[in-house]
Amino acid sequence: MNYEEVMKLALERGFYFPSCEVYADAQAGFWEYGPSGVGLKNKFLELWRRELIRRDGMLEIDGSQIMSKSVFEASGHLGNFADPIIKCTKCDSTFRADRTIAEIAQIEIPESADLDEFDNAILQNNIKCPKCKGDFDKTRKFNMMFRVGIGPQDDEAYLRPETCQSIFVDFPRLFKTMRGKLPFGIAQVGKSFRNEIAPRQSLLRLREFYQAEIEVFCNPSKLEEVENFSEIENTVIRVQTDADPVSMTCKEAVESGVIPNKFVAYYLGILTEFYEKTGIDITKSRFRKLGDKEKAFYAEVAFDFEVETTIGWLELVACNYRSDYDLSSHAVKSKEKFEVMDNDEKVLPHVFEISMGIDRSLYTILEHSLKDDKEHERVVLSLKPYLAPVHVGILSLVKKDGLKEKTDEIYLQIKRKCDAFLDHSGAIGRRYRRLDEIGAPFAVTVDHQTLEDESVTIRKRDSMEQSRVKILELDSIISESIAFP
């Protein structure tokens, strides 16, 4: 299924929709999750916590969304966090330089390239404004930070453009109070804010978006000493450097030098295992190594985890080896100490980052899970049962003859044990189709036989198989099927 079909599903079934859509002055790049989207997002994050955070005993924090100017001076965002933009001299429209050049002239220039490269490409290829065919002014940088004023004095602060900076500035306290030991993982889920020039395609480029970030603090002299590497050494990952993606085990990737060390390979391995459990087609994924002009200003080595969709390859996770860039920068700016003891050695830790875009991940899960079942003339969202926003629909065949009351009774028994949906209205086939479209793995129908023998019909979403089971068996059948792997 393609982007337009996913968008139609999202709007009609309460997954996500534009913010403030009833007003004409609503700004682009702001979207809201409906009940189905919140259910999917919450279950996705619970799987993330199970597969990544709890696996290695990481800590999770919840930091402030507004942070002081000093934080972003130290991090380099005030000086470096910018996109190249071009402005039409005729109609004053503004565009991303790299994207405009790519769309019109099919020339790929990294966004971090020198400004002269963009100007030369525009001149040599006679690129004009897409709106009015006017000429462009010189390329300039546009900082994407959202500034906020605090208090009556309008003290300067900023909405965070990424969730990781509070992890870095909190590191000394957390390492001390939580009796830390390297490697030491800290995670955070929350919203970040970027003043994107041209937000587009719903969840794929937003000005307000969710991130799930992990920062693993490590001793740079022990990157080959990974205690749990044997757990993932045979996990197959797809890595792309210069040629097409190549499938190899994590062990082979390290031995061949494609991945620099066991430490990085370990986290790429568990990330791959996580996304496989979300239902994304891993054969359509790749870890793409970024060149010097592509990677972020703070990254020493960077791999983007990307997944192929109908609108191209989407970056879902940035995997950056940030060395000691962040801790040393904050140490200099704050004049505080960030070194810690690793056994008897005093170390300024290096950091490996797994920065996950939640919104893009959810879109990709929806696209990879949405099926057009032409044989049965239905659209079905074949989500993993543990990610489904609704686990089971509880349906009465008709509302008379005591069936409504019996259906309500069963719903009351089940609704606190799983996510259940009660539905009395409409043809039973139409109700099945609605449940199929929101990904509910089961539908339970109460009919006249239920009143005779305490049995119901349970229908499976993907196979459409139906069988009679006792009401007393429903809890165990559903619980076993929706349990996390």
Side-chain angles (χ1 to χ4, degrees):
M1 303 289 271
N2 59 32
Y3 172 81
E4 287 75 19
E5 290 163 321
V6 175
M7 189 74 255
K8 182 175 183 290
L9 177 84
L11 295 173
E12 293 181 352
R13 295 295 177 229
F15 281 94
Y16 54 85
F17 39 81
S19 178
C20 307
E21 62 180 329
V22 298
Y23 287 101
D25 64 349
Q27 295 289 334
F30 300 95
W31 287 70
E32 298 180 356
Y33 286 101
S36 299
V38 169
L40 174 61
K41 176 166 65 70
N42 288 344
K43 293 180 174 74
F44 172 85
L45 288 173
E46 179 56 23
L47 182 66
W48 173 79
R49 289 186 174 100
R50 287 174 56 93
E51 296 298 311
L52 297 174
I53 308 307
R54 296 173 196 157
R55 176 171 184 156
D56 289 334
M58 297 180 186
L59 306 179
E60 185 176 350
I61 67 167
D62 187 357
S64 176
Q65 296 181 21
I66 298 175
M67 304 183 76
S68 74
K69 178 182 178 181
S70 295
V71 169
F72 301 111
E73 287 177 333
S75 70
H77 283 84
L78 283 180
N80 299 304
F81 196 63
D83 278 343
I85 63 170
I86 46 178
K87 187 174 183 179
C88 177
T89 58
K90 184 177 178 181
C91 70
D92 288 336
S93 296
T94 301
F95 303 88
R96 275 275 298 263
D98 54 333
R99 291 216 187 92
T100 303
I101 293 168
E103 290 168 4
I104 295 176
Q106 285 76 54
I107 298 173
E108 297 291 338
I109 302 177
E111 62 187 60
S112 58
D114 294 334
L115 298 183
D116 287 345
E117 290 190 43
F118 299 108
D119 292 334
N120 291 336
I122 290 169
L123 183 63
Q124 292 168 8
N125 293 276
N126 195 30
I127 295 174
K128 303 293 183 181
C129 172
K131 289 188 176 180
C132 72
K133 303 305 178 184
D135 294 325
F136 284 117
D137 204 346
K138 293 286 187 182
T139 307
R140 62 185 177 89
K141 289 288 188 180
F142 172 73
N143 192 289
M144 295 186 292
M145 300 277 286
F146 277 108
R147 183 191 184 281
V148 296
I150 296 179
Q153 301 301 319
D154 197 37
D155 293 333
E156 185 175 355
Y158 291 87
L159 286 169
R160 62 188 184 190
E162 57 186 14
T163 59
C164 62
Q165 290 305 318
S166 51
I167 294 176
F168 298 138
V169 298
D170 292 347
F171 171 72
R173 175 180 291 278
L174 291 169
F175 194 86
K176 180 180 179 181
T177 58
M178 304 308 294
R179 301 171 66 193
K181 180 182 177 183
L182 298 181
F184 186 62
I186 304 176
Q188 180 170 200
V189 174
K191 283 192 171 181
S192 295
F193 306 84
R194 297 179 185 178
N195 197 5
E196 292 283 354
I197 299 153
R200 57 198 169 95
Q201 293 176 311
S202 65
L203 302 186
L204 306 188
R205 186 162 295 275
L206 296 162
R207 288 177 167 139
E208 176 184 5
F209 56 95
Y210 282 101
Q211 283 183 297
E213 293 200 293
I214 295 171
E215 309 297 329
V216 186
F217 299 84
C218 61
N219 186 332
S221 67
K222 297 181 178 179
L223 299 180
E224 298 296 343
E225 300 176 26
V226 182
E227 184 178 345
N228 299 328
F229 186 75
S230 60
E231 294 178 8
I232 58 87
E233 65 180 4
N234 294 318
T235 297
V236 175
I237 59 176
R238 289 169 52 79
V239 185
Q240 177 178 344
T241 51
D242 297 323
D244 293 332
V246 176
S247 296
M248 60 184 74
T249 67
C250 289
K251 183 178 180 180
E252 290 169 343
V254 174
E255 291 175 346
S256 65
V258 172
I259 304 297
N261 51 63
K262 288 183 177 180
F263 189 79
V264 171
Y266 174 74
Y267 290 102
L268 300 192
I270 64 174
L271 187 65
T272 297
E273 291 181 353
F274 163 75
Y275 270 106
E276 190 165 20
K277 289 178 180 177
T278 69
I280 284 176
D281 185 352
I282 292 300
T283 66
K284 295 182 178 179
S285 72
R286 67 186 182 190
F287 286 100
R288 186 171 66 86
K289 187 175 184 180
L290 304 188
D292 290 338
K293 289 189 175 182
E294 287 184 286
K295 62 188 181 183
F297 61 88
Y298 46 72
E300 189 173 289
V301 177
F303 290 88
D304 279 352
F305 178 74
E306 300 175 334
V307 177
E308 190 175 13
T309 69
T310 57
I311 53 175
W313 287 91
L314 289 183
E315 174 203 338
L316 304 190
V317 189
C319 305
N320 299 307
Y321 187 77
R322 301 175 72 122
S323 66
D324 64 356
Y325 175 88
D326 302 281
L327 296 193
S328 61
S329 298
H330 287 300
V332 170
K333 182 71 176 178
S334 67
K335 297 181 173 54
E336 297 290 336
K337 295 186 181 300
F338 281 72
E339 295 94 344
V340 298
M341 296 302 296
D342 183 28
N343 295 324
D344 297 326
E345 180 186 2
K346 193 174 187 179
V347 176
L348 180 63
H350 283 201
V351 176
F352 183 67
E353 172 181 73
I354 306 170
S355 178
M356 181 180 296
I358 296 173
D359 311 280
R360 287 182 169 201
S361 295
L362 297 182
Y363 168 81
T364 307
I365 291 169
L366 288 175
E367 186 183 294
H368 280 212
S369 302
L370 190 60
K371 314 293 183 186
D372 184 5
D373 183 356
K374 296 187 186 310
E375 180 184 352
H376 299 102
E377 298 181 348
R378 63 172 184 153
V379 171
V380 58
L381 186 62
S382 295
L383 294 170
K384 295 290 187 182
Y386 44 80
L387 293 185
V390 172
H391 293 133
V392 58
I394 310 296
L395 320 175
S396 56
L397 185 63
V398 293
K399 289 192 285 186
K400 59 185 180 180
D401 302 331
L403 295 188
K404 178 184 182 300
E405 291 74 15
K406 188 63 176 179
T407 304
D408 291 343
E409 177 189 322
I410 295 171
Y411 173 69
L412 289 174
Q413 293 172 6
I414 288 179
K415 71 175 185 176
R416 296 186 68 179
K417 299 174 183 178
C418 64
D419 287 310
F421 180 76
L422 179 66
D423 194 353
H424 291 299
S425 60
I428 195 70
R430 194 172 299 119
R431 283 183 275 169
Y432 283 155
R433 296 297 187 263
R434 286 199 293 263
L435 289 169
D436 290 342
E437 289 186 11
I438 60 171
F442 297 107
V444 168
T445 303
V446 177
D447 55 22
H448 291 91
Q449 187 177 336
T450 305
L451 303 179
E452 298 173 7
D453 62 6
E454 292 288 304
S455 72
V456 292
T457 297
I458 187 166
R459 172 188 182 269
K460 294 181 179 179
R461 176 197 65 204
D462 294 333
S463 66
M464 301 177 65
E465 174 191 340
Q466 298 188 34
S467 57
R468 297 294 297 191
V469 300
K470 293 293 185 181
I471 295 173
L472 292 176
E473 298 174 330
L474 280 178
D475 186 22
S476 61
I477 292 171
I478 296 169
S479 297
E480 183 179 335
S481 299
I482 66 173
F484 283 104

